[in-house]
Amino acid sequence: MAPRIEIDLGKIRENTRFLVDALRAKGIRVAGVTKAVCGDPAVAGAMQQGGVSLLADARISNVARLRSAGITCPIELIRSPMPSEVDRVVETCAASYNTEMEVIADLSASALRAGKVHGVILMVEMGDMRDGICPHELGRYVSLVAHLPGVALSGIGANFACLGNVSPDDEAMAAFSDLVKDIEIDAPPLKAVSGGGSANLPWAFASGTKGRVNELRLGEAILLGTDPVSGDPIDGLHTDAFRLVAEVIEANCKTGHAGPRRVECENSEAHLGEVGATSRIILALGMQDTDVHGLTFPPGVAAIGATSDHTVLCSSERGFRPGAEIRCGVSYGALMRAMNARDVERVYVEAGSSFGQIGEPLQARPTTNIGVTLAPVVG
């Protein structure tokens, strides 16, 4: 059975616990971000067991999946709601990140109809040039939200190193804290000052004051144990909680064309090689299933190219046969695509068991889910 994504819930739980404990010492709480795993309830449960009491996701469909699984802890929607979905946002989310007063007014009306108070976190533009209110407009937004019924200002948030190249260094984070302090001159202290995501961890772990920041939204660091800016492993974290497994459907020596030739293969370039025989392996995995460029293959195996349904590899070894499996490491983008792919099955393992590592002998693997245990439901 392949392709599949193997998920080590124990390692996710341990990564979460490490980060929750380390950041608590800095006065910062962790919101566990589940968007890369499409709101997978088992992964969210592992985050809860690791110590997070707040979850966050960018899509209301993922939030609905978590709620349907019985998870009742507060969940924040970290992408500004679409006007067409405000009723679902109010129903399922404790708060949402917002940048448009028109949308906030819609949330207000929906919350009044539902007899609820919905939390609003204003996202401020700090140089990433994605979503965010211009800093000079922030005070006006705060005043407008304060006068709307059915909503309450829960906090201020910022993004760093998502779309742009602005790193969350001391200068940028101090400027963000100064904005919050200016707002709090005429408003009650904010409950949530969300300073960013996994890219903020080098800043958060460094010595020195953290200003008004009391929350970070962590996804990649918990799931993959890597720094999203540098791609480097983060000390103390597992980097192998996820493995993508693909099955070999062809393994042959093929003669190259007369001279190098390059072909475009759906956002990738495949080098077909020089004259002579090379060992080529074809996997039943393609760009529909994952970001092939974000996969790490075993030693001695390299990617040649990929199309929608095939990935072509070359290998220095000749021992591959149809039916063999190749286990790959995944980047954040590759993980996100694989978790969203209809034909990629999810297989879970709990603490005390383990899947093979990259480069271990290829063999058949279990075809059923293993030991999925959700965290206790909390209010």
Side-chain angles (χ1 to χ4, degrees):
M1 178 269 300
R4 65 183 180 276
I5 190 85
E6 297 175 342
I7 305 170
D8 191 319
L9 298 175
K11 290 179 179 178
I12 294 168
R13 182 165 51 249
E14 290 171 6
N15 281 359
T16 306
R17 175 58 64 191
F18 179 92
L19 291 166
V20 166
D21 290 346
L23 290 171
R24 183 187 294 118
K26 303 282 187 176
I28 298 173
R29 65 175 173 264
V30 173
V33 179
T34 59
K35 64 180 183 177
V37 293
C38 300
D40 185 288
V43 174
M47 290 181 179
Q48 287 184 282
Q49 292 170 345
V52 301
S53 57
L54 170 67
L55 297 173
D57 206 291
R59 296 176 184 248
I60 199 65
S61 58
N62 293 341
V63 176
R65 187 171 296 114
L66 295 170
R67 295 302 190 207
S68 295
I71 292 178
T72 61
C73 73
I75 302 176
E76 295 175 345
L77 188 71
I78 55 176
R79 182 176 70 181
S80 185
M82 291 183 280
S84 60
E85 66 184 13
V86 292
D87 288 343
R88 296 180 70 194
V89 173
V90 168
E91 178 186 359
T92 59
C93 298
S96 59
Y97 283 65
N98 287 270
T99 61
E100 289 282 354
M101 280 308 306
E102 181 179 349
V103 177
I104 298 172
D106 289 342
L107 290 166
S108 168
S110 178
L112 285 175
R113 290 193 298 270
K116 294 184 175 183
V117 176
H118 181 72
V120 169
I121 299 172
L122 296 176
M123 183 65 78
V124 63
E125 170 57 56
M126 295 299 297
D128 191 58
M129 300 303 289
R130 196 183 69 177
D131 50 331
I133 301 162
C134 292
H136 70 273
E137 291 276 11
L138 186 58
R140 182 174 70 87
Y141 272 67
V142 169
S143 178
L144 290 170
V145 172
H147 289 88
L148 278 177
V151 294
L153 182 64
S154 296
I156 304 293
N159 271 329
F160 293 92
C162 286
L163 180 64
N165 294 318
V166 177
S167 296
D169 56 19
D170 287 341
E171 182 179 357
M173 297 310 296
F176 177 60
S177 280
D178 287 343
L179 279 175
V180 174
K181 292 174 185 176
D182 289 343
I183 293 301
E184 291 178 330
I185 292 174
D186 299 314
L190 297 170
K191 177 182 177 182
V193 181
S194 187
S198 296
N200 289 70
L201 287 176
W203 164 82
F205 288 148
S207 60
T209 178
K210 303 307 155 192
R212 283 290 290 111
V213 174
N214 62 11
E215 179 183 301
L216 290 179
R217 310 177 301 276
L218 302 185
E220 182 167 349
I222 290 175
L223 301 173
L224 299 180
T226 52
D227 181 329
V229 177
S230 67
D232 294 334
I234 299 172
D235 289 344
L237 299 183
H238 299 287
T239 59
D240 58 350
F242 294 84
R243 287 288 181 253
L244 183 60
V245 183
E247 188 171 342
V248 175
I249 57 174
E250 179 182 318
N252 282 308
C253 289
K254 297 193 176 181
T255 301
H257 293 266
R261 183 164 70 94
R262 302 185 78 86
V263 295
E264 295 293 334
C265 293
E266 298 183 12
N267 300 321
S268 69
E269 286 189 335
H271 194 296
L272 298 185
E274 306 286 349
V275 175
T278 58
S279 177
R280 296 296 171 98
I281 305 161
I282 299 179
L283 302 179
L285 181 84
M287 300 299 284
Q288 285 195 68
D289 306 302
T290 190
D291 177 8
V292 175
H293 303 290
L295 300 181
T296 303
F297 295 96
V301 176
I304 298 297
T307 58
S308 58
D309 301 293
H310 300 76
T311 296
V312 181
L313 310 176
C314 64
S315 173
S316 58
E317 299 182 7
R318 302 292 178 90
F320 295 94
R321 294 288 184 272
E325 293 181 337
I326 291 183
R327 180 167 287 97
C328 310
V330 292
S331 68
Y332 189 80
L335 171 64
M336 180 175 57
R337 291 263 295 274
M339 293 296 288
N340 200 47
R342 181 180 60 187
D343 295 323
V344 176
E345 187 166 345
R346 303 175 190 183
V347 180
Y348 304 88
V349 63
E350 264 293 353
S353 302
S354 65
F355 287 120
Q357 301 300 310
I358 295 175
E360 283 192 0
L362 307 176
Q363 55 185 314
R365 288 288 169 180
T367 60
T368 56
N369 291 353
I370 301 174
V372 179
T373 304
L374 295 182
V377 175
V378 297

